[in-house]
Structures are given as structure tokens and as C-alpha cells.
């Protein structure tokens, strides 16, 4: 049985990590250790939890029913689980097509485009499964307002006709204000999006002033 190790999936449609309304999944495990990474809780390859491709495809079907128009794969480092992810994306496309949805796929990777071949055929297959890639390590010293990116070096690369249609206009698009989405339950707050530098620490401080603390810690610190 093929499984993926995930950090989490977004509990609702996301509109801040790619165009339209998206199903977002964060894979578990990243060896790149970018200083200043805001997702340090995704680094441990043994963390998170396992999900079968069947379970994940069923979840995607639910999101299609809610009106999803695409899938964003973030992490963690997707290339660490490239073969299973490519299998999932193939299945997800078939499921979407069956209900008349031309869903696009955006994959974030910390690798540069010219590093992918060196990772092996599975990484190339995953890259080919994506309509667009966002590539490159996160560099804390290079803040940016480029859409959907965490640092100015990261590149948005459309790779298919659908990718060019939906993403080409965003490759150099600069956003005025960073957009974040918040999901909450009685256990945790999930902040989705790419925050400006210092915003998370400021928010934490402000909440502490209001008597709110994060008992289980935060994902952006070790
Ligand atoms: S920013 Fe991305 S690539 Fe870099 S360490 Fe964090 S999860 Fe890995």
C-alpha cells in the first residue's frame, strides 16, 4: 500500500497559496534546513502521520465537492516523497476530470530547477506532474512581496499549458499586503500563507498581552 507522510492538510479551502480555491497539503520531512524556516515542525522525516493514497484521494474528492480548483503541495520538502506524490497527483487529476474540473497543481520545492535531475527520476516525474513549481531555498535575508513566495530568490515556473494560463501573470506579480488565512479549532491555530518578517512574533506577543499563550509551542521555533 502506498502511503505519504504528511504534516497536515488544510481543514478548508485555501485562497492564499496559489490561484483560486485550493486543497493544500504539507508533506513531512525536509533535509534542507533553511535558516529562518517557518515550518520547522515539518523537518523531522519521522514526524507527522501516514496517510494512504486512497485516503488522500477521498479527501481531495471532498474538496472538489466544496469547489476546489487546484492543489498546492508544500512542506516539508515534496521531493523527499516524489514517487508517492506523483502517484497521488495523477489520481487526483483523474478524479477532478471525472467531475468536469480542470484542477491545477502547484508544488513548492526548496530545490532549484537545475538541481531536480540530480535527485533522480521520481523528482523529475513529480516536477512534470506540476502545472507550476515554486523553487529555491527560503532565504531569510531576502524578503519579498512577490506573490506566494517567501524570499526574493524563489521562482514561480509554469510548466504546462494550464500552468501558463493560470500562473504566467503571477510570476512577477507583487502584492501590496501579505494575505494569510486562519483556521482554528479547540486545539490549535493554523496560519496559512506567507507572513511578512516578524509578523508571527508580533502576533504571538500581542496574544500574550491578551493572556493567550501557545501551550504546545509554535511551528516556527525549534
Ligand atoms: S523553508 Fe522549505 S525547504 Fe527550507 S527548510 Fe523550511 S520546509 Fe525545508
Amino acid at each position: 500500500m502506498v502511503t505519504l507522510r504528511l504534516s497536515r492538510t488544510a481543514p478548508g479551502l485555501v485562497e492564499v497559496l496559489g490561484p483560486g480555491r485550493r486543497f493544500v497539503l504539507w508533506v513531512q520531512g525536509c533535509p534542507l534546513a533553511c535558516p529562518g524556516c517557518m515550518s520547522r515542525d515539518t523537518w523531522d522525516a519521522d514526524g507527522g502521520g501516514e496517510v494512504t493514497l486512497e485516503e488522500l484521494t477521498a479527501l481531495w474528492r471532498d474538496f472538489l465537492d466544496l469547489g476546489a480548483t487546484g492543489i498546492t503541495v508544500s512542506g516539508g520538502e515534496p521531493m523527499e516523497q516524489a514517487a508517492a506524490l506523483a502517484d497521488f497527483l495523477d489520481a487526483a487529476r483523474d478524479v477532478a476530470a471525472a467531475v468536469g474540473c480542470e484542477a491545477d497543481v502547484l508544488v513548492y520545492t526548496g530545490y532549484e530547477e537545475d538541481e531536480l535531475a540530480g535527485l533522480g527520476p521520481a523528482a523529475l516525474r513529480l516536477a512534470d506532474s506540476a502545472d507550476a513549481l515554486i523553487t529555491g531555498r527560503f532565504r531569510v535575508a531576502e524578503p519579498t512581496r512577490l506573490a506566494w513566495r517567501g524570499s526574493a530568490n524563489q521562482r514561480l515556473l509554469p510548466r504546462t499549458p494550464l500552468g501558463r494560463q493560470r500562473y504566467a501573470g503571477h510570476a512577477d506579480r507583487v502584492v501590496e499586503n501579505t494575505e494569510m488565512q486562519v483556521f482554528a479549532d479547540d486545539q490549535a491555530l493554523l496560519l496559512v500563507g506567507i507572513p511578512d518578517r516578524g509578523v508571527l512574533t508580533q502576533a504571538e506577543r500581542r496574544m500574550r498581552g491578551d493572556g493567550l499563550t501557545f501551550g504546545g509551542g509554535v511551528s516556527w521555533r525549534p
Side-chain angles (χ1 to χ4, degrees):
M1 190 188 312
V2 181
T3 59
L4 271 165
R5 187 161 280 275
L6 298 185
S7 168
R8 62 183 73 89
T9 58
L13 290 166
V14 169
E15 299 186 26
V16 296
L17 288 176
R21 299 175 301 278
R22 311 189 68 80
F23 174 53
V24 179
L25 56 106
W26 290 267
V27 296
Q28 184 70 30
C30 180
L32 297 179
C34 306
C37 170
M38 286 166 289
S39 307
R40 291 186 64 115
D41 61 332
T42 66
W43 287 9
D44 179 2
D46 296 323
E50 283 201 335
V51 61
T52 68
L53 294 201
E54 289 73 20
E55 289 166 336
L56 197 57
T57 304
L59 189 56
W60 164 235
R61 206 174 271 118
D62 293 343
F63 274 77
L64 281 169
D65 289 344
L66 292 173
T69 60
I71 297 175
T72 296
V73 181
S74 187
E77 175 48 58
M79 295 302 163
E80 292 293 301
Q81 302 183 67
L85 270 172
D87 286 350
F88 164 65
L89 294 172
D90 286 349
R93 269 210 183 80
D94 289 347
V95 167
V99 296
C101 174
E102 194 175 26
D104 73 84
V105 173
L106 171 64
V107 175
Y108 280 82
T109 174
Y111 293 100
E112 302 290 349
E113 190 181 30
D114 61 8
E115 292 180 293
L116 297 179
L119 300 176
L124 290 176
R125 189 177 150 228
L126 176 56
D128 286 343
S129 302
D131 295 291
L133 293 174
I134 290 182
T135 60
R137 313 294 192 272
F138 171 71
R139 293 185 191 158
V140 71
E142 298 182 31
T144 187
R145 280 285 165 89
L146 286 168
W148 307 322
R149 274 152 286 179
S151 55
N153 61 299
Q154 293 177 330
R155 299 176 66 207
L156 170 54
L157 304 172
R159 294 178 62 88
T160 65
L162 181 62
R164 282 185 277 284
Q165 184 190 319
R166 293 194 185 169
Y167 290 85
H170 299 284
D172 298 317
R173 182 170 68 88
V174 171
V175 294
E176 216 167 286
N177 296 303
T178 309
E179 290 184 327
M180 303 280 296
Q181 262 178 270
V182 180
F183 295 95
D185 60 23
D186 53 2
Q187 298 289 322
L189 271 183
L190 176 63
L191 306 176
V192 180
I194 300 181
D196 284 339
R197 300 291 188 274
V199 158
L200 297 176
T201 309
Q202 274 172 28
E204 207 184 338
R205 201 175 299 134
R206 202 169 303 151
M207 283 191 231
R208 202 178 305 127
D210 291 338
L212 287 172
T213 53
F214 296 104
V218 296
S219 65
W220 54 91
R221 274 200 307 270

